[in-house]
Short mmCIF file of all heavy atoms in Angstrom, two decimals:
data_model
loop_
_atom_site.label_atom_id
_atom_site.label_comp_id
_atom_site.label_asym_id
_atom_site.label_seq_id
_atom_site.Cartn_x
_atom_site.Cartn_y
_atom_site.Cartn_z
N MET M 1 -4.18 84.33 -88.04
CA MET M 1 -4.63 83.19 -88.82
C MET M 1 -4.64 83.60 -90.30
O MET M 1 -5.13 84.64 -90.67
CB MET M 1 -6.04 82.78 -88.38
CG MET M 1 -6.66 81.72 -89.23
SD MET M 1 -8.24 81.10 -88.63
CE MET M 1 -9.22 82.55 -88.49
N LYS M 2 -4.09 82.74 -91.13
CA LYS M 2 -4.08 82.97 -92.57
C LYS M 2 -5.14 82.07 -93.22
O LYS M 2 -5.45 81.00 -92.71
CB LYS M 2 -2.72 82.63 -93.15
CG LYS M 2 -1.63 83.57 -92.72
CD LYS M 2 -0.33 83.25 -93.41
CE LYS M 2 0.75 84.21 -92.97
NZ LYS M 2 2.01 83.96 -93.67
N LYS M 3 -5.65 82.55 -94.34
CA LYS M 3 -6.70 81.81 -95.04
C LYS M 3 -6.24 81.54 -96.47
O LYS M 3 -5.65 82.40 -97.11
CB LYS M 3 -7.99 82.61 -95.03
CG LYS M 3 -9.14 81.96 -95.75
CD LYS M 3 -10.44 82.69 -95.55
CE LYS M 3 -10.39 84.10 -96.08
NZ LYS M 3 -11.67 84.79 -96.01
N PHE M 4 -6.55 80.34 -96.96
CA PHE M 4 -6.21 79.93 -98.32
C PHE M 4 -7.42 79.26 -98.95
O PHE M 4 -8.27 78.70 -98.26
CB PHE M 4 -5.07 78.91 -98.31
CG PHE M 4 -3.81 79.39 -97.65
CD1 PHE M 4 -3.60 79.20 -96.30
CD2 PHE M 4 -2.83 80.01 -98.40
CE1 PHE M 4 -2.44 79.64 -95.69
CE2 PHE M 4 -1.66 80.45 -97.81
CZ PHE M 4 -1.47 80.26 -96.45
N ILE M 5 -7.46 79.26 -100.28
CA ILE M 5 -8.47 78.51 -101.03
C ILE M 5 -7.74 77.51 -101.89
O ILE M 5 -6.75 77.85 -102.56
CB ILE M 5 -9.33 79.45 -101.90
CG1 ILE M 5 -10.09 80.43 -101.00
CG2 ILE M 5 -10.29 78.64 -102.77
CD1 ILE M 5 -10.79 81.53 -101.72
N VAL M 6 -8.21 76.27 -101.88
CA VAL M 6 -7.58 75.23 -102.69
C VAL M 6 -7.97 75.50 -104.15
O VAL M 6 -9.13 75.37 -104.54
CB VAL M 6 -8.05 73.82 -102.26
CG1 VAL M 6 -7.40 72.75 -103.14
CG2 VAL M 6 -7.72 73.58 -100.78
N ASP M 7 -6.99 75.92 -104.94
CA ASP M 7 -7.22 76.22 -106.35
C ASP M 7 -7.29 74.94 -107.17
O ASP M 7 -8.19 74.76 -107.97
CB ASP M 7 -6.11 77.12 -106.88
CG ASP M 7 -6.32 77.53 -108.31
OD1 ASP M 7 -7.29 78.26 -108.56
OD2 ASP M 7 -5.52 77.11 -109.17
N ARG M 8 -6.31 74.05 -106.93
CA ARG M 8 -6.30 72.79 -107.66
C ARG M 8 -5.38 71.80 -106.95
O ARG M 8 -4.55 72.19 -106.14
CB ARG M 8 -5.89 72.97 -109.11
CG ARG M 8 -4.49 73.51 -109.31
CD ARG M 8 -4.24 73.85 -110.79
NE ARG M 8 -2.92 74.39 -110.98
CZ ARG M 8 -2.58 75.66 -110.80
NH1 ARG M 8 -3.48 76.54 -110.40
NH2 ARG M 8 -1.33 76.06 -111.02
N ILE M 9 -5.55 70.54 -107.31
CA ILE M 9 -4.70 69.48 -106.79
C ILE M 9 -4.00 68.84 -107.98
O ILE M 9 -4.64 68.47 -108.96
CB ILE M 9 -5.53 68.45 -106.00
CG1 ILE M 9 -6.13 69.15 -104.78
CG2 ILE M 9 -4.66 67.26 -105.60
CD1 ILE M 9 -7.11 68.32 -104.00
N GLU M 10 -2.67 68.76 -107.88
CA GLU M 10 -1.85 68.19 -108.96
C GLU M 10 -0.97 67.10 -108.36
O GLU M 10 0.05 67.40 -107.73
CB GLU M 10 -0.99 69.28 -109.60
CG GLU M 10 -1.80 70.39 -110.24
CD GLU M 10 -0.93 71.50 -110.82
OE1 GLU M 10 0.24 71.64 -110.41
OE2 GLU M 10 -1.44 72.25 -111.68
N GLY M 11 -1.37 65.85 -108.57
CA GLY M 11 -0.58 64.75 -108.03
C GLY M 11 -0.57 64.76 -106.51
O GLY M 11 -1.63 64.71 -105.89
N ASP M 12 0.62 64.88 -105.92
CA ASP M 12 0.74 64.88 -104.47
C ASP M 12 0.89 66.29 -103.90
O ASP M 12 1.28 66.48 -102.77
CB ASP M 12 1.91 64.01 -104.02
CG ASP M 12 3.26 64.52 -104.54
OD1 ASP M 12 3.26 65.38 -105.44
OD2 ASP M 12 4.30 64.06 -104.04
N LYS M 13 0.54 67.30 -104.71
CA LYS M 13 0.63 68.69 -104.27
C LYS M 13 -0.72 69.39 -104.45
O LYS M 13 -1.51 69.03 -105.31
CB LYS M 13 1.69 69.44 -105.07
CG LYS M 13 3.09 68.91 -104.87
CD LYS M 13 4.10 69.88 -105.42
CE LYS M 13 5.50 69.35 -105.39
NZ LYS M 13 6.01 68.96 -104.13
N ALA M 14 -0.93 70.40 -103.61
CA ALA M 14 -2.10 71.27 -103.74
C ALA M 14 -1.61 72.67 -104.03
O ALA M 14 -0.61 73.12 -103.47
CB ALA M 14 -2.92 71.25 -102.47
N VAL M 15 -2.30 73.36 -104.92
CA VAL M 15 -2.00 74.75 -105.22
C VAL M 15 -3.05 75.57 -104.49
O VAL M 15 -4.25 75.42 -104.72
CB VAL M 15 -2.05 75.03 -106.73
CG1 VAL M 15 -1.75 76.49 -107.01
CG2 VAL M 15 -1.07 74.12 -107.47
N LEU M 16 -2.57 76.41 -103.55
CA LEU M 16 -3.46 77.22 -102.73
C LEU M 16 -3.35 78.68 -103.12
O LEU M 16 -2.26 79.17 -103.39
CB LEU M 16 -3.09 77.07 -101.24
CG LEU M 16 -3.00 75.67 -100.67
CD1 LEU M 16 -2.62 75.75 -99.20
CD2 LEU M 16 -4.30 74.93 -100.85
N GLU M 17 -4.48 79.37 -103.11
CA GLU M 17 -4.48 80.81 -103.34
C GLU M 17 -4.55 81.50 -101.99
O GLU M 17 -5.45 81.23 -101.19
CB GLU M 17 -5.67 81.23 -104.21
CG GLU M 17 -5.69 82.71 -104.50
CD GLU M 17 -6.83 83.14 -105.38
OE1 GLU M 17 -7.56 82.28 -105.89
OE2 GLU M 17 -6.98 84.37 -105.55
N CYS M 18 -3.59 82.38 -101.74
CA CYS M 18 -3.55 83.15 -100.49
C CYS M 18 -4.58 84.29 -100.56
O CYS M 18 -5.06 84.63 -101.62
CB CYS M 18 -2.17 83.75 -100.28
SG CYS M 18 -0.82 82.57 -100.29
N GLU M 19 -4.83 84.88 -99.42
CA GLU M 19 -5.77 86.00 -99.35
C GLU M 19 -5.33 87.16 -100.22
O GLU M 19 -6.16 87.89 -100.75
CB GLU M 19 -5.91 86.48 -97.90
CG GLU M 19 -6.60 85.48 -97.02
CD GLU M 19 -6.63 85.94 -95.57
OE1 GLU M 19 -5.59 85.82 -94.91
OE2 GLU M 19 -7.71 86.40 -95.14
N ASN M 20 -4.01 87.34 -100.39
CA ASN M 20 -3.49 88.46 -101.20
C ASN M 20 -3.39 88.11 -102.70
O ASN M 20 -2.91 88.90 -103.47
CB ASN M 20 -2.14 88.92 -100.67
CG ASN M 20 -1.05 87.88 -100.82
OD1 ASN M 20 -1.27 86.80 -101.37
ND2 ASN M 20 0.14 88.20 -100.32
N GLY M 21 -3.81 86.91 -103.07
CA GLY M 21 -3.80 86.50 -104.46
C GLY M 21 -2.59 85.69 -104.88
O GLY M 21 -2.56 85.16 -105.99
N ASP M 22 -1.57 85.60 -104.02
CA ASP M 22 -0.39 84.79 -104.33
C ASP M 22 -0.78 83.31 -104.35
O ASP M 22 -1.71 82.89 -103.68
CB ASP M 22 0.71 84.99 -103.29
CG ASP M 22 1.38 86.36 -103.39
OD1 ASP M 22 1.20 87.04 -104.42
OD2 ASP M 22 2.06 86.74 -102.42
N MET M 23 -0.02 82.52 -105.10
CA MET M 23 -0.25 81.09 -105.17
C MET M 23 0.88 80.36 -104.46
O MET M 23 2.04 80.77 -104.56
CB MET M 23 -0.32 80.63 -106.63
CG MET M 23 -1.38 81.35 -107.44
SD MET M 23 -3.05 81.20 -106.79
CE MET M 23 -3.60 79.76 -107.64
N VAL M 24 0.52 79.30 -103.72
CA VAL M 24 1.49 78.53 -102.93
C VAL M 24 1.29 77.06 -103.26
O VAL M 24 0.15 76.58 -103.32
CB VAL M 24 1.26 78.77 -101.42
CG1 VAL M 24 2.19 77.90 -100.60
CG2 VAL M 24 1.43 80.22 -101.07
N ASN M 25 2.38 76.32 -103.44
CA ASN M 25 2.32 74.86 -103.64
C ASN M 25 2.68 74.18 -102.32
O ASN M 25 3.70 74.51 -101.72
CB ASN M 25 3.33 74.42 -104.70
CG ASN M 25 2.96 74.94 -106.07
OD1 ASN M 25 1.83 74.93 -106.47
ND2 ASN M 25 3.95 75.43 -106.78
N LEU M 26 1.84 73.25 -101.90
CA LEU M 26 2.10 72.49 -100.67
C LEU M 26 1.89 71.01 -100.90
O LEU M 26 1.06 70.62 -101.74
CB LEU M 26 1.15 72.93 -99.55
CG LEU M 26 1.41 74.26 -98.89
CD1 LEU M 26 0.31 74.54 -97.87
CD2 LEU M 26 2.75 74.28 -98.21
N GLU M 27 2.63 70.21 -100.16
CA GLU M 27 2.43 68.77 -100.21
C GLU M 27 1.05 68.44 -99.64
O GLU M 27 0.64 69.03 -98.62
CB GLU M 27 3.50 68.05 -99.36
CG GLU M 27 4.91 68.25 -99.86
CD GLU M 27 5.22 67.39 -101.07
OE1 GLU M 27 4.62 66.31 -101.21
OE2 GLU M 27 6.07 67.81 -101.86
N LEU M 28 0.32 67.53 -100.27
CA LEU M 28 -1.00 67.16 -99.77
C LEU M 28 -0.94 66.61 -98.35
O LEU M 28 -1.86 66.83 -97.57
CB LEU M 28 -1.64 66.10 -100.69
CG LEU M 28 -2.36 66.62 -101.91
CD1 LEU M 28 -2.86 65.45 -102.76
CD2 LEU M 28 -3.49 67.54 -101.54
N LYS M 29 0.16 65.93 -98.00
CA LYS M 29 0.25 65.33 -96.68
C LYS M 29 0.30 66.39 -95.57
O LYS M 29 0.04 66.07 -94.42
CB LYS M 29 1.45 64.39 -96.59
CG LYS M 29 2.79 65.06 -96.79
CD LYS M 29 3.90 64.03 -96.77
CE LYS M 29 5.25 64.70 -97.05
NZ LYS M 29 6.30 63.72 -97.15
N ALA M 30 0.58 67.65 -95.90
CA ALA M 30 0.60 68.73 -94.91
C ALA M 30 -0.79 69.31 -94.65
O ALA M 30 -0.99 70.06 -93.71
CB ALA M 30 1.53 69.84 -95.36
N LEU M 31 -1.74 68.92 -95.50
CA LEU M 31 -3.10 69.48 -95.44
C LEU M 31 -4.09 68.46 -94.88
O LEU M 31 -3.80 67.26 -94.84
CB LEU M 31 -3.52 69.92 -96.84
CG LEU M 31 -2.66 71.02 -97.44
CD1 LEU M 31 -3.02 71.21 -98.91
CD2 LEU M 31 -2.81 72.31 -96.68
N PRO M 32 -5.28 68.91 -94.48
CA PRO M 32 -6.29 67.97 -93.98
C PRO M 32 -6.64 66.93 -95.05
O PRO M 32 -6.60 67.22 -96.26
CB PRO M 32 -7.50 68.86 -93.69
CG PRO M 32 -6.96 70.23 -93.55
CD PRO M 32 -5.74 70.29 -94.42
N LYS M 33 -6.99 65.74 -94.60
CA LYS M 33 -7.38 64.68 -95.53
C LYS M 33 -8.67 65.05 -96.25
O LYS M 33 -9.49 65.79 -95.73
CB LYS M 33 -7.59 63.37 -94.78
CG LYS M 33 -6.31 62.80 -94.22
CD LYS M 33 -6.56 61.48 -93.57
CE LYS M 33 -5.24 60.94 -93.02
NZ LYS M 33 -5.41 59.64 -92.40
N ASN M 34 -8.81 64.55 -97.44
CA ASN M 34 -10.04 64.70 -98.24
C ASN M 34 -10.36 66.13 -98.64
O ASN M 34 -11.52 66.45 -98.86
CB ASN M 34 -11.24 64.08 -97.51
CG ASN M 34 -11.03 62.61 -97.21
OD1 ASN M 34 -10.47 61.88 -98.02
ND2 ASN M 34 -11.44 62.19 -96.04
N ILE M 35 -9.36 67.00 -98.74
CA ILE M 35 -9.65 68.34 -99.23
C ILE M 35 -9.98 68.28 -100.71
O ILE M 35 -9.57 67.36 -101.42
CB ILE M 35 -8.50 69.34 -98.98
CG1 ILE M 35 -7.24 68.91 -99.72
CG2 ILE M 35 -8.27 69.56 -97.51
CD1 ILE M 35 -6.22 70.02 -99.84
N LYS M 36 -10.74 69.28 -101.16
CA LYS M 36 -11.15 69.34 -102.56
C LYS M 36 -10.90 70.75 -103.09
O LYS M 36 -10.76 71.69 -102.32
CB LYS M 36 -12.65 69.02 -102.68
CG LYS M 36 -13.05 67.67 -102.15
CD LYS M 36 -14.53 67.45 -102.26
CE LYS M 36 -15.41 68.33 -101.41
NZ LYS M 36 -15.28 68.34 -100.00
N GLU M 37 -10.89 70.86 -104.39
CA GLU M 37 -10.77 72.17 -105.02
C GLU M 37 -11.91 73.06 -104.54
O GLU M 37 -13.06 72.61 -104.44
CB GLU M 37 -10.77 72.04 -106.53
CG GLU M 37 -9.54 71.33 -107.03
CD GLU M 37 -9.57 71.06 -108.53
OE1 GLU M 37 -10.58 71.35 -109.19
OE2 GLU M 37 -8.56 70.55 -109.04
N GLY M 38 -11.61 74.30 -104.19
CA GLY M 38 -12.61 75.23 -103.71
C GLY M 38 -12.74 75.29 -102.19
O GLY M 38 -13.38 76.19 -101.67
N ASP M 39 -12.13 74.34 -101.49
CA ASP M 39 -12.19 74.34 -100.02
C ASP M 39 -11.42 75.52 -99.45
O ASP M 39 -10.39 75.93 -100.01
CB ASP M 39 -11.62 73.05 -99.44
CG ASP M 39 -12.56 71.87 -99.55
OD1 ASP M 39 -13.75 72.07 -99.89
OD2 ASP M 39 -12.11 70.74 -99.31
N VAL M 40 -11.90 76.05 -98.33
CA VAL M 40 -11.21 77.11 -97.62
C VAL M 40 -10.40 76.45 -96.50
O VAL M 40 -10.92 75.65 -95.73
CB VAL M 40 -12.20 78.14 -97.04
CG1 VAL M 40 -11.47 79.20 -96.23
CG2 VAL M 40 -13.02 78.77 -98.15
N ILE M 41 -9.11 76.79 -96.45
CA ILE M 41 -8.19 76.23 -95.47
C ILE M 41 -7.65 77.37 -94.60
O ILE M 41 -7.24 78.40 -95.14
CB ILE M 41 -7.00 75.54 -96.18
CG1 ILE M 41 -7.47 74.48 -97.17
CG2 ILE M 41 -6.00 74.98 -95.18
CD1 ILE M 41 -8.05 73.26 -96.55
N ASN M 42 -7.64 77.17 -93.30
CA ASN M 42 -7.03 78.13 -92.38
C ASN M 42 -5.70 77.58 -91.88
O ASN M 42 -5.57 76.37 -91.65
CB ASN M 42 -7.93 78.40 -91.18
CG ASN M 42 -9.19 79.14 -91.56
OD1 ASN M 42 -9.25 79.79 -92.60
ND2 ASN M 42 -10.21 79.05 -90.73
N PHE M 43 -4.73 78.48 -91.71
CA PHE M 43 -3.44 78.11 -91.14
C PHE M 43 -3.32 78.81 -89.81
O PHE M 43 -3.39 80.05 -89.72
CB PHE M 43 -2.30 78.54 -92.06
CG PHE M 43 -0.94 78.19 -91.51
CD1 PHE M 43 -0.49 76.88 -91.55
CD2 PHE M 43 -0.13 79.17 -90.97
CE1 PHE M 43 0.78 76.56 -91.05
CE2 PHE M 43 1.13 78.85 -90.47
CZ PHE M 43 1.58 77.54 -90.51
N GLN M 44 -3.19 78.01 -88.75
CA GLN M 44 -3.10 78.57 -87.41
C GLN M 44 -2.27 77.64 -86.55
O GLN M 44 -2.45 76.41 -86.61
CB GLN M 44 -4.51 78.74 -86.83
CG GLN M 44 -4.58 79.46 -85.52
CD GLN M 44 -6.02 79.72 -85.10
OE1 GLN M 44 -6.96 79.24 -85.71
NE2 GLN M 44 -6.17 80.50 -84.07
N GLU M 45 -1.39 78.20 -85.75
CA GLU M 45 -0.56 77.42 -84.84
C GLU M 45 0.19 76.30 -85.55
O GLU M 45 0.19 75.15 -85.13
CB GLU M 45 -1.40 76.88 -83.68
CG GLU M 45 -2.05 77.97 -82.85
CD GLU M 45 -2.94 77.43 -81.76
OE1 GLU M 45 -2.91 76.22 -81.46
OE2 GLU M 45 -3.69 78.25 -81.20
N ASN M 46 0.77 76.63 -86.71
CA ASN M 46 1.60 75.71 -87.50
C ASN M 46 0.84 74.51 -88.07
O ASN M 46 1.43 73.48 -88.35
CB ASN M 46 2.81 75.22 -86.69
CG ASN M 46 3.72 76.36 -86.32
OD1 ASN M 46 3.95 77.26 -87.13
ND2 ASN M 46 4.24 76.34 -85.12
N SER M 47 -0.48 74.63 -88.19
CA SER M 47 -1.29 73.55 -88.78
C SER M 47 -2.33 74.13 -89.72
O SER M 47 -2.76 75.27 -89.57
CB SER M 47 -2.00 72.76 -87.68
OG SER M 47 -1.07 72.09 -86.87
N TYR M 48 -2.74 73.31 -90.68
CA TYR M 48 -3.79 73.68 -91.62
C TYR M 48 -5.08 72.99 -91.21
O TYR M 48 -5.09 71.80 -90.86
CB TYR M 48 -3.41 73.24 -93.04
CG TYR M 48 -2.24 74.02 -93.59
CD1 TYR M 48 -0.93 73.56 -93.42
CD2 TYR M 48 -2.44 75.22 -94.26
CE1 TYR M 48 0.14 74.27 -93.91
CE2 TYR M 48 -1.36 75.94 -94.76
CZ TYR M 48 -0.07 75.45 -94.58
OH TYR M 48 0.98 76.16 -95.07
N PHE M 49 -6.20 73.74 -91.27
CA PHE M 49 -7.50 73.22 -90.90
C PHE M 49 -8.53 73.56 -91.97
O PHE M 49 -8.53 74.67 -92.49
CB PHE M 49 -7.98 73.83 -89.57
CG PHE M 49 -7.06 73.59 -88.42
CD1 PHE M 49 -6.09 74.52 -88.09
CD2 PHE M 49 -7.15 72.43 -87.69
CE1 PHE M 49 -5.23 74.31 -87.03
CE2 PHE M 49 -6.30 72.20 -86.62
CZ PHE M 49 -5.33 73.14 -86.29
N LEU M 50 -9.39 72.62 -92.28
CA LEU M 50 -10.49 72.87 -93.20
C LEU M 50 -11.52 73.74 -92.50
O LEU M 50 -11.92 73.45 -91.37
CB LEU M 50 -11.14 71.55 -93.64
CG LEU M 50 -12.38 71.65 -94.52
CD1 LEU M 50 -12.03 72.31 -95.85
CD2 LEU M 50 -12.98 70.29 -94.75
N ASN M 51 -11.92 74.83 -93.13
CA ASN M 51 -12.95 75.70 -92.59
C ASN M 51 -14.26 75.36 -93.32
O ASN M 51 -14.58 75.93 -94.35
CB ASN M 51 -12.58 77.17 -92.79
CG ASN M 51 -13.54 78.12 -92.12
OD1 ASN M 51 -14.73 77.85 -92.03
ND2 ASN M 51 -13.03 79.25 -91.68
N SER M 52 -14.99 74.41 -92.76
CA SER M 52 -16.20 73.89 -93.41
C SER M 52 -17.26 74.97 -93.57
O SER M 52 -17.93 75.03 -94.61
CB SER M 52 -16.78 72.73 -92.61
OG SER M 52 -15.85 71.69 -92.52
N ASP M 53 -17.44 75.80 -92.56
CA ASP M 53 -18.48 76.84 -92.63
C ASP M 53 -18.19 77.84 -93.74
O ASP M 53 -19.08 78.19 -94.51
CB ASP M 53 -18.60 77.56 -91.29
CG ASP M 53 -19.16 76.67 -90.19
OD1 ASP M 53 -19.84 75.67 -90.51
OD2 ASP M 53 -18.91 76.97 -89.01
N GLU M 54 -16.95 78.29 -93.81
CA GLU M 54 -16.61 79.27 -94.85
C GLU M 54 -16.63 78.63 -96.24
O GLU M 54 -17.00 79.27 -97.22
CB GLU M 54 -15.25 79.90 -94.56
CG GLU M 54 -15.05 81.15 -95.36
CD GLU M 54 -13.99 82.07 -94.81
OE1 GLU M 54 -13.61 81.94 -93.64
OE2 GLU M 54 -13.54 82.94 -95.59
N THR M 55 -16.22 77.37 -96.33
CA THR M 55 -16.29 76.65 -97.61
C THR M 55 -17.73 76.58 -98.09
O THR M 55 -18.03 76.88 -99.26
CB THR M 55 -15.69 75.24 -97.48
OG1 THR M 55 -14.31 75.34 -97.15
CG2 THR M 55 -15.85 74.45 -98.77
N LYS M 56 -18.63 76.21 -97.19
CA LYS M 56 -20.05 76.09 -97.54
C LYS M 56 -20.62 77.45 -97.96
O LYS M 56 -21.32 77.55 -98.98
CB LYS M 56 -20.83 75.54 -96.35
CG LYS M 56 -22.28 75.31 -96.62
CD LYS M 56 -22.96 74.68 -95.42
CE LYS M 56 -24.44 74.48 -95.69
NZ LYS M 56 -25.13 73.90 -94.54
N ALA M 57 -20.29 78.51 -97.20
CA ALA M 57 -20.78 79.85 -97.53
C ALA M 57 -20.25 80.32 -98.88
O ALA M 57 -20.97 80.93 -99.68
CB ALA M 57 -20.39 80.83 -96.44
N ARG M 58 -18.98 80.02 -99.16
CA ARG M 58 -18.36 80.42 -100.43
C ARG M 58 -19.03 79.71 -101.61
O ARG M 58 -19.31 80.32 -102.63
CB ARG M 58 -16.87 80.11 -100.37
CG ARG M 58 -16.09 80.54 -101.56
CD ARG M 58 -14.58 80.29 -101.34
NE ARG M 58 -13.84 80.73 -102.48
CZ ARG M 58 -13.64 80.01 -103.58
NH1 ARG M 58 -14.11 78.79 -103.66
NH2 ARG M 58 -12.96 80.50 -104.59
N LYS M 59 -19.28 78.42 -101.45
CA LYS M 59 -19.92 77.66 -102.52
C LYS M 59 -21.35 78.16 -102.77
O LYS M 59 -21.80 78.24 -103.92
CB LYS M 59 -19.90 76.17 -102.19
CG LYS M 59 -18.51 75.58 -102.33
CD LYS M 59 -18.47 74.11 -102.02
CE LYS M 59 -17.04 73.60 -102.17
NZ LYS M 59 -16.92 72.17 -101.95
N GLU M 60 -22.05 78.52 -101.69
CA GLU M 60 -23.42 79.04 -101.83
C GLU M 60 -23.40 80.39 -102.55
O GLU M 60 -24.24 80.65 -103.42
CB GLU M 60 -24.07 79.17 -100.45
CG GLU M 60 -25.51 79.53 -100.49
CD GLU M 60 -26.40 78.46 -101.11
OE1 GLU M 60 -26.07 77.27 -101.05
OE2 GLU M 60 -27.45 78.83 -101.68
N LYS M 61 -22.43 81.23 -102.22
CA LYS M 61 -22.32 82.54 -102.86
C LYS M 61 -22.05 82.37 -104.36
O LYS M 61 -22.66 83.05 -105.19
CB LYS M 61 -21.19 83.35 -102.21
CG LYS M 61 -21.00 84.71 -102.79
CD LYS M 61 -19.89 85.46 -102.09
CE LYS M 61 -19.67 86.82 -102.73
NZ LYS M 61 -18.58 87.56 -102.09
N ILE M 62 -21.15 81.47 -104.70
CA ILE M 62 -20.83 81.21 -106.12
C ILE M 62 -22.06 80.66 -106.85
O ILE M 62 -22.36 81.06 -107.97
CB ILE M 62 -19.62 80.27 -106.24
CG1 ILE M 62 -18.36 80.99 -105.77
CG2 ILE M 62 -19.46 79.76 -107.67
CD1 ILE M 62 -17.16 80.09 -105.60
N LYS M 63 -22.78 79.76 -106.20
CA LYS M 63 -23.99 79.19 -106.79
C LYS M 63 -25.01 80.29 -107.08
O LYS M 63 -25.61 80.34 -108.15
CB LYS M 63 -24.58 78.14 -105.86
CG LYS M 63 -25.86 77.53 -106.33
CD LYS M 63 -26.38 76.53 -105.30
CE LYS M 63 -27.79 76.11 -105.63
NZ LYS M 63 -28.38 75.31 -104.56
N ASN M 64 -25.21 81.20 -106.12
CA ASN M 64 -26.15 82.30 -106.30
C ASN M 64 -25.72 83.24 -107.42
O ASN M 64 -26.56 83.71 -108.20
CB ASN M 64 -26.33 83.07 -104.99
CG ASN M 64 -27.08 82.27 -103.95
OD1 ASN M 64 -27.82 81.33 -104.27
ND2 ASN M 64 -26.88 82.60 -102.69
N LEU M 65 -24.42 83.51 -107.51
CA LEU M 65 -23.93 84.35 -108.60
C LEU M 65 -24.17 83.70 -109.96
O LEU M 65 -24.59 84.38 -110.91
CB LEU M 65 -22.43 84.63 -108.43
CG LEU M 65 -22.04 85.63 -107.34
CD1 LEU M 65 -20.54 85.62 -107.11
CD2 LEU M 65 -22.50 87.02 -107.73
N MET M 66 -23.91 82.41 -110.04
CA MET M 66 -24.12 81.69 -111.29
C MET M 66 -25.60 81.70 -111.67
O MET M 66 -25.96 81.92 -112.84
CB MET M 66 -23.61 80.25 -111.19
CG MET M 66 -22.12 80.13 -111.06
SD MET M 66 -21.24 80.73 -112.51
CE MET M 66 -21.63 79.45 -113.67
N ASN M 67 -26.47 81.47 -110.68
CA ASN M 67 -27.91 81.49 -110.95
C ASN M 67 -28.36 82.85 -111.44
O ASN M 67 -29.19 82.95 -112.35
CB ASN M 67 -28.69 81.08 -109.70
CG ASN M 67 -28.58 79.60 -109.41
OD1 ASN M 67 -28.24 78.81 -110.29
ND2 ASN M 67 -28.84 79.22 -108.19
N SER M 68 -27.83 83.93 -110.86
CA SER M 68 -28.23 85.28 -111.26
C SER M 68 -27.76 85.61 -112.68
O SER M 68 -28.40 86.36 -113.39
CB SER M 68 -27.73 86.33 -110.27
OG SER M 68 -26.32 86.47 -110.36
N LEU M 69 -26.66 85.02 -113.11
CA LEU M 69 -26.17 85.24 -114.48
C LEU M 69 -27.05 84.59 -115.53
O LEU M 69 -27.16 85.10 -116.64
CB LEU M 69 -24.74 84.70 -114.61
CG LEU M 69 -23.65 85.48 -113.92
CD1 LEU M 69 -22.33 84.72 -114.03
CD2 LEU M 69 -23.50 86.86 -114.56
N PHE M 70 -27.65 83.47 -115.17
CA PHE M 70 -28.39 82.71 -116.17
C PHE M 70 -29.91 82.79 -116.02
O PHE M 70 -30.63 82.06 -116.68
CB PHE M 70 -27.94 81.24 -116.16
CG PHE M 70 -26.49 81.10 -116.52
CD1 PHE M 70 -25.53 80.81 -115.58
CD2 PHE M 70 -26.07 81.31 -117.83
CE1 PHE M 70 -24.19 80.71 -115.92
CE2 PHE M 70 -24.74 81.21 -118.19
CZ PHE M 70 -23.80 80.90 -117.23
N GLU M 71 -30.37 83.68 -115.14
CA GLU M 71 -31.82 83.87 -115.01
C GLU M 71 -32.34 84.68 -116.19
O GLU M 71 -31.66 85.56 -116.71
CB GLU M 71 -32.14 84.61 -113.71
CG GLU M 71 -31.99 83.77 -112.49
CD GLU M 71 -32.34 84.52 -111.23
OE1 GLU M 71 -32.50 85.76 -111.27
OE2 GLU M 71 -32.43 83.88 -110.17
N ASP M 72 -33.56 84.38 -116.57
CA ASP M 72 -34.18 85.14 -117.68
C ASP M 72 -34.91 86.33 -117.16
O ASP M 72 -35.40 86.46 -116.14
CB ASP M 72 -35.15 84.25 -118.45
CG ASP M 72 -34.37 83.21 -119.29
OD1 ASP M 72 -33.23 83.47 -119.65
OD2 ASP M 72 -34.96 82.15 -119.56
#
């Protein structure tokens, strides 16, 4: 299983960051509906799936890092 993070959406394409740091452009129609920037996407058995649990954990980690930077 491969993992990607949605870096940005440009028109009808999504730019995904691979686990190794490479960037990939894909048609939005190949991805799950309603994806957003920052979502974690898994590729398995020739299909892309939104990984809601990992997306939520990643966003929480980023939120905690941001809070720790701006604490007095």
Side-chain angles (χ1 to χ4, degrees):
M1 173 174 55
K2 292 184 180 182
K3 180 172 61 175
F4 302 89
I5 297 171
V6 179
D7 182 67
R8 62 188 179 277
I9 296 173
E10 298 177 340
D12 62 347
K13 297 193 186 302
V15 179
L16 307 180
E17 181 178 354
C18 304
E19 292 176 282
N20 65 3
D22 289 345
M23 303 302 269
V24 176
N25 294 317
L26 286 177
E27 297 283 331
L28 277 177
K29 63 184 176 184
L31 298 170
K33 292 183 180 182
N34 301 321
I35 63 163
K36 302 178 293 301
E37 293 175 356
D39 283 349
V40 177
I41 304 290
N42 292 339
F43 180 75
Q44 187 173 9
E45 299 177 13
N46 297 321
S47 294
Y48 292 91
F49 301 94
L50 175 63
N51 186 327
S52 300
D53 292 337
E54 196 160 343
T55 296
K56 184 177 178 181
R58 184 175 181 276
K59 287 181 181 183
E60 187 66 28
K61 181 179 178 181
I62 291 169
K63 178 182 169 188
N64 290 338
L65 286 169
M66 292 296 289
N67 287 340
S68 70
L69 287 174
F70 297 106
E71 287 181 349
D72 288 333

